[in-house]
Structures are given as structure tokens and as C-alpha cells.
Amino acid sequence: METSVFPRMHVSLYVSDLTATVNFYTAFFGQPAAKIKPGYAKYVLDKPSLIISFVQNPERVASNFGHLGFQVETVQEMEQRLEVARRAGLVAREEMGTSCCYAKQDKFWVNDPDGVEWEVYYFHEDAEFNDPRYQAEYDQAGGNSQCCIAPAAQQAPLAAEMLTTAPMAFTLVDATPAVPAANACTPGGGCC
């Protein structure tokens, strides 16, 4: 069943290195940017329905906002996306059959060049508890933490689970593809 892509969510992130960001997101999203301009790139995705833009501004990169992610429709889609991410060397960690945020989920995580975490997950069902490792983290933080975050660095038992993101094997060849004037930024019209 095909559904409309509208309304479509829009996110804009500041990044420190646009070339590294475009390389990463082209691999992660499995498609090239819809627009690349000096200091700016935009992807327009149908699944998930999202417009995401990146503005090169190292001074404004924020690493403490949480994470981004999307839910997929089937276990098979999650497994396919995981396999593509593995082949591209993007997977930071995998969590299968975990109860996190009071839901049983299969998921994997990737980290972009500025450390922004993305969670790709399949929701199985609601749960009445979080897995013990998440609950312990929550309790240690005095109730000021959540389960959908990277494990703390000092937790040695989790280190074996965590993988590192391999360096990108992609090169951004042409940073200024031809874009019709109708898609260009306009005064007062914005670039997003």
C-alpha cells in the first residue's frame, strides 16, 4: 500500500565538514544529495519521508541533543538496511530483541562524522520494562537518562558489543552538480 510522502518532516543540522557529511549520508541513505552548494547539502527522502539539510558551520555543531532515527515497517527491511550499513562500514552497534524505551525492538545505530547518532529500528511490541543494562544506566543517572543513548564509555561489559564506524571509502567527486535555477536558494525563500 503506497501512501503520500506529505507531510514530510524537515531537519537541518550544522556540520563541521560537508564533504565527510555528504559521503556518510550518501552511503547511509543509499542515494545522492538532491542539492549540493558551497557549505550546504540537502537530501529529499521518500522512505522515511524526510527533508534533511546540512549547513557547514563548525562553531554551531551541537553534540548534546539526543539522537535521530526512523522506524521501518518490517523486520526484513531493518535487516536489509543493516546489511547495507554493514557493507558500507557504518554500523556503530546492533541491538536485537532488546527492550528499550519500554518497547521490544530490533535496531542498529550509526554515527555521522560529527557524532550525530541515528537509530534504525523495527518495533515488535510494547514492553513493561527496559533491559537491565538500560535500567541500571537510568538509575545511576538519578533518573535523568534514557535508554536510547550510547552506552557510557566506562561500562566495560558493553565494550565487546560496540563496533566502531570505519573510515568512509567514498570520495565526493563533484561538489557542485548542475541544479536548475528553480531549485536554487532565493532571497526570502530560504534554502531548506
Side-chain angles (χ1 to χ4, degrees):
M1 178 169 103
E2 192 65 31
T3 59
S4 172
V5 296
F6 294 99
R8 188 183 320 234
M9 183 178 169
H10 169 72
V11 173
S12 182
L13 298 174
Y14 294 117
V15 300
S16 56
D17 181 335
L18 190 64
T19 299
T21 298
V22 168
N23 287 337
F24 174 86
Y25 283 100
T26 296
F28 181 50
F29 293 147
Q31 70 181 56
K35 182 188 296 186
I36 299 176
K37 297 288 184 183
Y40 178 84
K42 177 174 80 173
Y43 291 80
V44 179
L45 308 175
D46 289 333
K47 290 182 96 178
S49 184
L50 170 68
I51 297 173
I52 185 165
S53 60
F54 302 95
V55 179
Q56 187 163 307
N57 189 336
E59 293 78 32
R60 299 199 64 191
V61 172
S63 63
N64 59 352
F65 73 92
H67 70 272
L68 300 169
F70 56 91
Q71 179 182 9
V72 296
E73 192 171 1
T74 66
V75 170
Q76 293 76 20
E77 182 181 357
M78 202 281 307
E79 290 170 349
Q80 289 169 343
R81 288 178 180 269
L82 174 57
E83 185 54 36
V84 169
R86 278 184 188 140
R87 284 196 306 266
L90 303 179
V91 178
R93 68 185 186 281
E94 300 175 25
E95 299 173 328
M96 301 301 155
T98 190
S99 290
C100 173
C101 297
Y102 300 95
K104 183 178 177 191
Q105 305 168 31
D106 290 339
K107 65 174 86 179
F108 69 94
W109 299 81
V110 300
N111 300 316
D112 84 358
D114 287 305
V116 174
E117 282 194 309
W118 281 82
E119 169 189 29
V120 179
Y121 70 97
Y122 173 75
F123 170 83
H124 288 279
E125 61 189 1
D126 284 323
E128 294 302 318
F129 65 94
N130 286 326
D131 280 343
R133 65 181 179 180
Y134 299 123
Q135 192 62 47
E137 178 182 282
Y138 179 82
D139 293 342
Q140 287 174 356
N144 293 322
S145 182
Q146 60 183 10
C147 64
C148 295
I149 58 174
Q154 71 270 19
Q155 292 177 334
L158 296 179
E161 293 181 324
M162 296 169 56
L163 304 174
T164 58
T165 303
M168 292 304 301
F170 307 98
T171 303
L172 183 60
V173 178
D174 182 8
T176 55
V179 177
N183 289 343
C185 297
T186 58
C191 293
C192 302

